[in-house]
Amino acid sequence: MAVKKSEIYSSLWASCDALRGGMDASQYKDYVLVLLFVKYVSDKYAGDPDGLIEIPEGGSFADMVALKGDKEIGDKINVIISRLAEANDLKGVIDVADFNEEEKLGTGKEMVDRLSNLIAIFNRPELDFRNNRAEGDDILGDAYEYLMRHFATESGKSKGQFYTPSEVSRIMAKAIGISASSRADQTIYDPTCGSGSLLLKARDEAPAGITIYGQEKDVATRALAKMNMVLHDCPTAEIWRDNTLASPHFKNSNGGLKTFDFVVANPPFSDKAWGTGLDPVNDQYDRFDYGVPPAKNGDYAYFLHIIASLKTTGKGAVILPHGVLFRGNAESDIREKIIRKGYIKGIIGLPANLFYGTGIPACIIVIDKENAQARTGIFMVDASKGFVKDGNKNRLRSQDLHKIVDAFTKQVEIDKYSRMVPLAEIEKHGFNLNIPRYIDSSEPEDLQDIEAHLKGGIPVGDVDALAEFWQVLPAVRNTLFGPGDREGYLTPLVNASGVKFAILDHSEFTNFTDRVTAVFDDWRAAHIDRLRGIAVGDKPKVLIAEISEDLLNRFKHVALIDGYDVYQHLMTYWAEVMQDDTYVLVQDGWAAGKVIRELVRNADGKYSETPDIKIGKRHLKAELIPPALIVARFFAAEQAEVDRLTEVLEQAEAAVTELQETHGGEGDALFGVEKKNEALAAWADAFDTVWNQRDPASLRQYRKCIENAERLVADIDDLTYRPVFGPLKNAKGKLTLGAIKDQIKQTNTHEDQATLEKYLERDKLLKAHRKSTKETREAAETKLLQQMENEPDSEDFADLRIIRCYLDGLELAATAKAEKTERQAALDAMVVAQYAKLSEAEVKVLLVEDKWLAQVLAEVLAEVDRVSQALAGRVTVLAERYATPLPKLAEDLDVLSARVAAHLKRMGFAA
């Protein structure tokens, strides 16, 4: 069975759980990522003489599996990794972590168990990379990215700088235009490459491939980058370890800096030690010709290094704190010179708290040397408000990324978001590039109208401000507002509470909904064959790129609907559900839709997945198609009956609960009653009370019978202690009449015979009394219950009626529950059996139409509902704001004040 991305991620994070406790994320990431590397290259290249990575004897993951439980497991894992490293020139890369370090991994059995569990996790089926048929989609690379992001989150502020959020990396790659590159020998460079994520995202945008160079001064982080390159099928990437500013590694033949076609970087913000080992005034690479940055702030040092590392036609992007845009003194002079050279193509302001090493807002500065001479302005984007909260960080959504890229690459000016700022305007502001100087992204103030508060009515200006709605729904405006009693003001025609319904019920809004649905239907028709035609070996990322881009383009032109919001709905659904489904299809084909598998408990005796259906002790999980969709398409009538019984059960339980709440107080009919046996006892007590009121003589007779029966029971009990009864008791210690009668025939003593006959006499008499007791009570019940029916208003029977309703409710609920359980079990069995009967055509309908497209349509219609809510919300605010003019409020206040004064006067407190 195919492996889902979510299952890979879950297993990888479980490996982290196995290491938590002995070290923090900044340390245990080294162990997890090395094992992931060894597992991947072993699966991919073991036994392949032409593989890019050589797997030597005694240097594979299989050798690690053989160590589970070994007392020397830590030391032997080190040996295995060392052999793999030596065979592939990876010394100092994959052998950085010590698997025999007791301080981190524990001693003795603790270390053995921890490492054995860790190896077992990586040996799970979902981490078997040998049969990955979607290699172009980089499943393993995405898994590595997932781990890096989570490690950065857990590592905290001081240790998370090795990772640049992938969304930001993609923006940078698109902003510098790598997609236009045409040769694999074109170069890209990152002077502070960290784990290499920026370089790899840029590589993803290069259609013909690209040659990668990177430098990183931290030993462990450089090792992450090297492994990252191998795991992303870039084993030839050059990643060097050293200080980029003090000792740049990549140089040309004459000793100067090597220059590159593209540069991307996320250097450490405001690096106070940037000048260590460096004489910037006499820099041999001429990087600081525009000025020397402040000694305690290295932002411009890295910026100038990047500019110097670009070819004359080169393009780059660097992430820097906003301070570089407006700080003064030496930085101001450097900034002016760079602007005058025309190197800055654009600036993209990002949301705060986006990066793992800092919470301050940052920006992307895009550099373009090729077109510097002709540059007349700098394109600015204020994307600071487009994000979603993700734990303790902010994160760019797919729609935020797409909107930034669209605006920047197409140079589209969007109100309060993006604009081309002329260099003359920037010069007028002293070459200050602070984005708010040029783009006002603040929301307009909601001004109050004094005259409307004094005289009533809704200002026409407030209604006109909703022009985007009235362009689509002009008749709705006339339904909601009529002419006012004076110029410039309108009268609301619908109460504030009815505004939403008036909009939804209007034919114009119905037509709007139909037009939106029609756009979706056109998109659906354009792609349904493509979705139904998904085949083994297809590339899921290519698929989602095609259908999502077309969805965005279609909805960009729909009034009142934000196309980026619709796009985000699809991308969110892709990430949560559709992506996993598609990866299964491209590996196992449509037959996977027929699979419903039985879950197996893990080592802890628990299920790692939530079952879809339980049949007896079997816990079953559908691979692709939820049982609800099978039910809806094949067993609607059966489900309707289960739903009916559910409704009966819920109504019965609600009635019982209401009776308890209403009549459960002290002294009430159901006081202390929570179970059926308690209700029966309450019924008996209440019945005896009514019986005593209506027919006390009969009740006395009944109780006399009970007393007589109790005396007979006591007599019989006393008799059974006599010796003659001992041998007659069975294995359970009970007497039978047959045994007693047989003993009478066999006994030789008159005394024993008399005792046995006395027992039979008393037993016969007891049965007669019990029969009489039962008949007496039954007769009383018949009589009194008839009276209760004939006297519906009599208070004598009030408690009995309540208790009977309670018991009837319990009986109805029990019956409905039993029948529902039976029907549900039968339905579940039919559903499970139906999976095997599904044809490929039925699987496609269920998965593509009933599951995927139905969900996307629901999200689109939710956007339509958002439109109605936005309009109704604003109209309601206006209607309520000006509903009562100030003079009317004053009049009401006078009336209320007069009432209070009158009350005080009657109480003797007159002013």
Side-chain angles (χ1 to χ4, degrees), residues 563-623:
Y564 289 102
D565 285 339
V566 175
Y567 169 81
Q568 182 61 44
H569 286 307
L570 174 58
M571 296 307 293
T572 298
Y573 183 61
W574 171 263
E576 293 175 353
V577 176
M578 195 174 168
Q579 174 180 237
D580 271 350
D581 290 350
T582 307
Y583 272 92
V584 170
L585 292 177
V586 301
Q587 293 182 75
D588 291 346
W590 292 95
K594 302 172 65 172
V595 174
I596 182 165
R597 52 190 168 81
E598 186 167 354
L599 299 179
V600 179
R601 297 180 189 274
N602 58 26
D604 297 326
K606 299 177 181 179
Y607 294 106
S608 56
E609 296 178 87
T610 302
D612 291 323
I613 287 182
K614 297 179 183 178
I615 296 183
K617 295 183 178 180
R618 299 173 66 209
H619 289 59
L620 304 173
K621 182 77 174 177
E623 191 67 27

Side-chain angles (χ1 to χ4, degrees), residues 611-751:
D612 291 323
I613 287 182
K614 297 179 183 178
I615 296 183
K617 295 183 178 180
R618 299 173 66 209
H619 289 59
L620 304 173
K621 182 77 174 177
E623 191 67 27
L624 292 178
I625 300 172
L629 299 182
I630 299 285
V631 170
R633 192 159 281 277
F634 297 101
F635 304 108
E638 290 82 354
Q639 183 63 54
E641 179 60 17
V642 171
D643 293 342
R644 184 191 68 79
L645 291 169
T646 301
E647 185 177 355
V648 171
L649 175 60
E650 290 173 349
Q651 289 175 349
E653 289 176 338
V656 167
T657 300
E658 184 178 358
L659 285 169
Q660 284 178 315
E661 293 174 349
T662 306
H663 304 287
E666 188 172 357
D668 291 338
L670 296 174
F671 178 64
V673 173
E674 294 183 0
K675 299 176 182 178
K676 183 176 181 179
N677 61 337
E678 294 168 344
L680 292 172
W683 168 270
D685 291 341
F687 182 84
D688 287 354
T689 299
V690 176
W691 193 355
N692 189 48
Q693 292 172 342
R694 294 293 180 113
D695 191 358
S698 173
L699 179 59
R700 284 195 297 274
Q701 178 186 347
Y702 170 74
R703 288 175 173 168
K704 186 68 175 177
C705 287
I706 291 177
E707 291 173 4
N708 291 336
E710 289 174 346
R711 282 197 297 271
L712 287 169
V713 169
D715 287 348
I716 291 172
D717 190 53
D718 287 342
L719 285 173
T720 59
Y721 285 102
R722 297 185 182 182
V724 69
F725 289 100
L728 302 181
K729 294 179 180 179
N730 60 23
K732 295 182 180 181
K734 302 293 184 181
L735 291 169
T736 64
L737 294 180
I740 293 172
K741 291 175 181 179
D742 289 342
Q743 187 62 29
I744 290 174
K745 295 176 183 178
Q746 298 173 15
T747 187
N748 297 322
T749 66
H750 176 73
E751 182 180 356

